[in-house]
Amino acid sequence: MAGPQDSEQPQWHEPQSDHHDPYQDESPHTGADQVESLTQEFYALRERAEATMTLASAWAENFTSLVQLEFRRTLQAGSRIVVMLLVLFFLAISLIVSICAGLGLLGYYFFQSIYAGFGIFLISQLLMIGGLLLAANNLKKLLGFDESRRQAKEALEDVTALFKQAD
């Protein structure tokens, strides 16, 4: 009497292990399904790379515009500072001349009422110089590339986050 094992071919049984191969799907896929899955992953990765490149090129264009605008603003503020410093220079010279002239008049008119007029003249020049210094100080705040630095730092953080996310 022949048993069922005699009529069939011998069956090989692989030993069962607890090790799971992450590269092997448990569902029965054919080779075509795996190729299609890999193709879809490749296209998704390519689309993501194209989107990243498009975003990076748009950001680079905007960043270039920002740097140009800040450079123009810096040049304008710098030229205004130079003009104000020229005015301040000539006012400082006139102040020195006025002080010298005032000292001379003080000696000549020691006991007359010219003091009040000379004091007002000096105070007005000091106020003009102080106002120009304050205006120049306010324009100094416009010098530099603060916004460009902030944008570059933000972009670097975004790229770093994107690479961390891809891992």
Side-chain angles (χ1 to χ4, degrees):
M1 205 172 174
Q5 292 178 350
D6 293 336
S7 63
E8 296 179 6
Q9 295 180 354
Q11 295 181 357
W12 298 93
H13 295 284
E14 293 185 21
Q16 295 285 333
S17 71
D18 292 336
H19 177 68
H20 174 69
D21 188 5
Y23 297 107
Q24 186 179 29
D25 273 345
E26 294 182 10
S27 60
H29 285 297
T30 63
D33 289 340
Q34 289 177 348
V35 169
E36 184 178 329
S37 174
L38 287 174
T39 304
Q40 289 176 353
E41 287 181 30
F42 172 73
Y43 284 130
L45 184 62
R46 188 182 79 181
E47 288 176 8
R48 186 174 173 190
E50 286 176 357
T52 302
M53 290 304 294
T54 301
L55 182 65
S57 65
W59 177 85
E61 185 177 324
N62 289 339
F63 185 72
T64 303
S65 298
L66 178 64
V67 169
Q68 288 175 348
L69 289 173
E70 284 190 325
F71 185 70
R72 285 185 200 141
R73 183 186 71 186
T74 299
L75 286 178
Q76 288 175 349
S79 65
R80 289 179 185 171
I81 289 173
V82 167
V83 168
M84 287 187 179
L85 289 176
L86 277 173
V87 170
L88 182 65
F89 175 74
F90 291 115
L91 279 176
I93 289 174
S94 68
L95 177 67
I96 292 172
V97 170
S98 297
I99 290 173
C100 289
L103 288 174
L105 286 174
L106 276 175
Y108 184 72
Y109 294 106
F110 186 71
F111 295 105
Q112 295 182 7
S113 67
I114 191 119
Y115 299 121
F118 182 69
I120 292 172
F121 180 70
L122 284 178
I123 288 173
S124 66
Q125 281 192 345
L126 290 174
L127 289 176
M128 291 272 297
I129 290 172
L132 284 173
L133 285 174
L134 287 175
N137 192 27
N138 286 336
L139 285 175
K140 283 182 185 177
K141 294 176 186 175
L142 298 176
L143 294 175
F145 296 89
D146 297 331
E147 195 63 28
S148 298
R149 282 190 211 117
R150 188 184 67 77
Q151 286 288 325
K153 183 178 178 183
E154 186 176 311
L156 184 62
E157 289 171 358
D158 289 345
V159 169
T160 304
L162 181 67
F163 280 123
K164 286 182 181 178
Q165 181 183 18
D167 292 339

